[in-house]
Amino acid sequence: MTYLRHSKWLRFVISVIVLTLLLSAYRIFTVEGEARTPKFVLMRLEDIGPGGQYTSLEELGKLRTVLEYLRDQKVAYHMAVIPRWINLPPDGSRYDVPLDQEGNPYAAAFRKVLQQASDSGAVIGMHGYTHQVGSVRRDDGHHESGIGNEFQVEDAEETMKASYAEQRIKAGLAIFERAGLKPQFWEAPHYRTTAEQDGVFRSYFGLNYQAEVQSHNNAEAVFYWNQRNSVYGSSTLGAAYVPTPYDYIPSNKDEKMIVDRVGQSNHVASFFYHPFLEFKYLTPVLDPGGEPVMRDGLPEYRYPEQNKSVLQKLIAGLRAKGYAFRSIHDYVPFTPAQSVKLLPGGKTNVFLEDADGDGQADTVQWNATNGEISVIPGRYKGLRNEAQPAPVRWGQAGYANGAAAAVSGKDTEGPCSFWTANPGGRLDRYVSDGREFHLAQSWKIEAKAWSSLYTLPLSNGEVIVAGLTKDKLQLYGWRIRGKELKPIKPYKLRSEMNQELQIRMEDGPALFASKNGASGGIQLQPDTVDMTWQLTRVDLGLPNEDGLIRLGDFNGDGREDALRWDPKTMRCTVYSRDEDREWRLLSTFGPWGTPGKGVNLMVRDADGNGKADLVLIDRSGGNLDFALSYQSK
């Protein structure tokens, strides 16, 4: 202790160590502690459709007022929409209005209200087809939409069948399509379905805004169904189920049903609310002459200035407790979607890029046996169980042991390029014309056997092609400007590069590699002035936890986000980066997929919406499985 008191240098070193530990603890608390338990709620507006409490233009105007109030309050919300409304009144008449009904101004106005809500950020889901059963009035009320059961009705045997469920979901989806709307989740009326019918629904929807009622009816949080859906339509992988443990607010209760419960359990704070309960608090907007003010054929209404309605007090009460309204697409950060079947045999190199120029990523395969290049056009904007196109031969590129390939995106040469590095000393570029790859340029390079090839796009339209040698000890590079090739001085690594290299675009294109569980890694960036590779160590500031780092802009805000994928558990932890470049835990995802040799997770924007998606490649099973991001910015 005497020595410590007299040694200024040692005291300085100890102070630095203590300060570093404190900063690390703060960072871990910010990312792992506070952000591990984000305070949020999920709210679904229930039983919305062209009838019932929304039958008149006046009621539709009130519904629009509620939705616009939520928009103005920046409240994330979801709408469970019934696409066809049926009722059989006592007088023997029949009410039957689908959303896509032509020549009906009311139906057209309803479609516009829903479209405007969707455009402003609301998430629309499908809540059954008619949410009722039959064409005859019943004493139990099940003939009326929004009140009746649609599936598993005890005295209607056909409602128990999977074929009945598939007919209903197809009919409802057809109405949505003709109405110009795309539902993004499924919710069964009153959660009443058979196990076989649930198999139908998750074949069509990877996201279900309800509990998995067969085995996990009392789930506290999201449940991931981690099996293949192979009976109804094309095979797909998995589905997510988001429960509503907080139930709903009945007409004789108030916001305290929800506000007083948050934070009292481990249940996700998810609930639903019927927006017509707000109508009694709304007042009409009148012009100076006392006449109703109209907009788009609907009367205008306004909320009271003070928080008087249940929804107003609910929003204020939850925010006072520090809770934010969150989108289901941030709670379930990726929606299990389509699958692509790879060519049989396993001796193919697989790439993803928009080869045909339609904005969606296509599956490009290079056969190591015969050198054939084939393309499966990507189709990710339709139903998840729709059959994907068959592979089409697009060209030929001779393969030899020690060759490697890569793809690059749109530039001045074409929508996509396919690159090969031949061990005999040749770099070839094949350019897509939207239907085939044609050999465009060929350059002489140093004869080497290659492990892998990468392409790094530059902002001026040029491309850096990088090649890792077969022994994984040297990184080569070539700057491509039109037909001109200029080599980059090879970089000699101290040891084998056994970690996967991934392309990183933030702060200029680079190749990034990290070890399992690390908070950062190394980065190799091309210096296009000195024509050298610059190696730097990068600390991303992520928590040290099991899993491999994957980088991408998952929410389309232009900032790099990150996830940690654990190939043993097949789970992901997703982090978003805020305006101050600080990491915030967004959510977790999975398990999704089965661990095994030949299984890997890639990050690509598959559907072209500007948000990076997940692509799980399973070479042994011969599948590419996609989970799409619809995260909010």
Side-chain angles (χ1 to χ4, degrees):
M1 290 297 294
T2 302
Y3 176 75
L4 182 61
R5 284 196 300 269
H6 291 285
S7 175
K8 294 182 179 179
W9 172 248
L10 185 57
R11 292 203 305 272
F12 172 75
V13 171
I14 292 175
S15 299
V16 170
I17 293 173
V18 171
L19 180 60
T20 301
L21 290 173
L22 288 173
L23 289 173
S24 298
Y26 172 77
R27 189 193 74 196
I28 292 172
F29 174 77
T30 302
V31 177
E32 292 190 311
E34 180 180 306
R36 285 286 177 189
T37 55
K39 298 170 71 173
F40 68 91
V41 296
L42 300 171
M43 181 174 68
R44 186 181 72 219
L45 302 184
E46 195 78 341
D47 294 337
I48 296 175
Q53 301 289 343
Y54 313 103
T55 303
S56 68
L57 293 175
E58 289 74 20
E59 290 164 332
L60 186 53
K62 291 178 180 179
L63 175 63
R64 181 179 65 183
T65 301
V66 175
L67 303 182
E68 291 181 345
Y69 176 77
L70 293 173
R71 176 202 64 194
D72 296 342
Q73 292 295 314
K74 295 180 171 52
V75 169
Y77 67 97
H78 314 82
M79 304 172 69
V81 176
I82 305 167
R84 181 182 177 186
W85 202 282
I86 293 176
N87 190 19
L88 305 168
D91 62 7
S93 62
R94 177 183 175 88
Y95 181 93
D96 187 347
V97 178
L99 276 174
D100 65 334
Q101 191 172 75
E102 296 181 359
N104 185 341
Y106 164 76
F110 212 118
R111 292 194 296 270
K112 187 167 186 176
V113 168
L114 294 179
Q115 187 62 64
Q116 289 173 338
S118 176
D119 292 343
S120 66
V123 179
I124 291 177
M126 181 174 173
H127 189 26
Y129 169 44
T130 63
H131 201 315
Q132 58 81 237
V133 64
S135 56
V136 177
R137 183 176 175 83
R138 300 167 55 108
D139 293 336
D140 57 13
H142 287 309
H143 60 274
E144 184 176 355
S145 290
I147 294 177
N149 292 330
E150 186 169 357
F151 306 101
Q152 207 178 16
V153 181
E154 293 181 358
D155 60 353
E157 185 178 350
E158 72 275 8
T159 66
M160 308 284 186
K161 298 177 180 178
S163 58
Y164 174 84
E166 188 167 30
Q167 292 169 3
R168 308 288 285 187
I169 199 169
K170 283 182 176 180
L173 286 169
I175 290 176
F176 275 110
E177 183 177 9
R178 290 190 294 267
L181 300 166
K182 183 179 179 181
Q184 295 185 293
F185 65 82
W186 165 262
E187 181 205 350
H190 298 153
Y191 309 150
R192 286 182 60 89
T193 51
T194 68
E196 292 77 13
Q197 289 173 334
D198 285 345
V200 173
F201 301 138
R202 62 176 164 261
S203 292
Y204 284 84
F205 286 91
L207 182 58
N208 299 264
Y209 200 163
Q210 63 168 81
E212 194 284 302
V213 295
Q214 308 304 329
S215 303
H216 302 84
N217 194 35
N218 297 317
E220 296 182 352
V222 59
F223 166 74
Y224 286 91
W225 174 275
N226 191 24
Q227 300 178 35
R228 297 208 72 83
N229 311 300
S230 303
V231 179
Y232 305 97
S234 294
S235 174
T236 58
L237 176 62
Y241 287 86
V242 177
T244 52
Y246 282 36
D247 298 321
Y248 70 107
I249 303 175
S251 59
N252 61 343
K253 298 292 182 179
D254 59 19
E255 76 286 348
K256 294 178 182 178
M257 284 279 297
I258 306 299
V259 175
D260 289 350
R261 290 180 64 185
V262 293
Q264 302 301 312
S265 70
N266 292 326
H267 293 81
V268 60
S270 174
F271 62 93
F272 58 94
Y273 183 68
H274 294 90
F276 67 80
L277 296 177
E278 294 290 287
F279 289 0
K280 63 184 178 182
Y281 300 100
L282 306 180
T283 56
V285 178
L286 305 178
D287 65 16
E291 295 297 320
V293 174
M294 306 293 288
R295 173 162 57 94
D296 296 333
L298 300 179
E300 293 265 46
Y301 294 87
R302 65 164 59 96
Y303 263 90
E305 293 184 4
Q306 303 296 324
N307 290 338
K308 294 183 179 180
S309 81
V310 173
L311 196 53
Q312 284 180 312
K313 291 187 287 186
L314 176 68
I315 295 170
L318 288 170
R319 285 178 170 169
K321 285 193 168 186
Y323 282 80
F325 287 82
R326 199 175 194 185
S327 169
I328 195 172
H329 290 313
D330 294 327
Y331 181 54
V332 179
F334 303 96
T335 297
Q338 288 84 353
S339 296
V340 170
K341 195 68 178 175
L342 299 175
L343 291 172
K347 294 183 178 181
T348 57
N349 297 274
V350 181
F351 312 93
L352 286 169
E353 190 54 78
D354 181 13
D356 57 13
D358 70 348
Q360 301 181 80
D362 307 309
T363 303
V364 181
Q365 298 178 83
W366 188 31
N367 193 312
T369 302
N370 57 22
E372 182 176 284
I373 307 170
S374 63
V375 173
I376 302 175
R379 300 291 183 266
Y380 311 108
K381 296 182 180 180
L383 301 176
R384 73 180 304 215
N385 63 347
E386 289 178 344
Q388 292 292 306
V392 179
R393 185 184 184 278
W394 271 45
Q396 190 80 20
Y399 180 86
N401 186 30
V407 292
S408 61
K410 184 178 181 180
D411 57 23
T412 56
E413 301 297 317
C416 174
S417 292
F418 184 84
W419 304 79
T420 62
N422 191 288
R426 193 177 72 251
L427 178 68
D428 293 332
R429 180 179 193 175
Y430 300 80
V431 176
S432 164
D433 64 3
R435 293 180 297 179
E436 292 181 320
F437 283 112
H438 301 278
L439 181 62
Q441 288 97 30
S442 183
W443 299 273
K444 184 175 178 57
I445 59 174
E446 188 171 343
K448 289 281 184 181
W450 304 100
S451 170
S452 50
L453 205 64
Y454 309 89
T455 59
L456 306 175
L458 300 179
S459 58
N460 60 2
E462 299 175 6
V463 180
I464 299 291
V465 180
L468 183 66
T469 54
K470 188 76 171 180
D471 59 11
K472 300 183 179 181
L473 290 173
Q474 293 186 83
L475 183 68
Y476 280 68
W478 307 274
R479 179 177 178 176
I480 308 297
R481 179 187 298 164
K483 298 183 182 300
E484 177 188 354
L485 176 146
K486 189 173 182 180
I488 298 174
K489 182 181 178 181
Y491 188 93
K492 294 184 178 180
L493 299 163
R494 293 183 178 180
S495 59
E496 290 184 15
M497 176 58 70
N498 291 318
Q499 289 76 42
E500 181 180 353
L501 288 170
Q502 57 181 305
I503 298 169
R504 188 182 185 206
M505 296 305 298
E506 186 162 288
D507 300 324
L511 294 172
F512 174 80
S514 64
K515 296 181 179 180
N516 192 322
S519 65
I522 63 167
Q523 186 166 285
L524 285 153
Q525 191 163 22
D527 185 327
T528 55
V529 176
D530 295 337
M531 298 302 289
T532 58
W533 290 102
Q534 301 296 322
L535 185 144
T536 56
R537 298 194 177 277
V538 179
D539 184 3
L540 296 175
L542 291 168
N544 294 92
E545 55 188 345
D546 290 341
L548 301 169
I549 294 173
R550 295 288 185 266
L551 302 171
D553 181 6
F554 300 128
N555 59 9
D557 65 357
R559 293 187 290 269
E560 182 181 68
D561 305 310
L563 64 80
R564 180 85 70 174
W565 174 61
D566 190 337
K568 294 180 180 179
T569 64
M570 303 302 285
R571 298 176 188 269
C572 296
T573 306
V574 185
Y575 299 91
S576 61
R577 183 169 277 178
D578 61 22
E579 295 178 354
D580 298 323
R581 298 176 66 86
E582 294 291 332
W583 294 112
R584 290 291 180 266
L585 176 74
L586 180 71
S587 190
T588 57
F589 176 75
W592 185 59
T594 303
K597 185 178 180 180
V599 175
N600 195 17
L601 187 74
M602 300 183 290
V603 172
R604 300 287 190 278
D605 179 9
D607 59 354
N609 69 347
K611 302 177 181 183
D613 308 305
L614 302 187
V615 187
L616 189 69
I617 180 169
D618 180 359
R619 294 186 181 276
S620 61
N623 295 306
L624 276 184
D625 294 303
F626 294 80
L628 304 180
S629 172
Y630 304 102
Q631 296 171 27
S632 57
K633 294 183 180 179

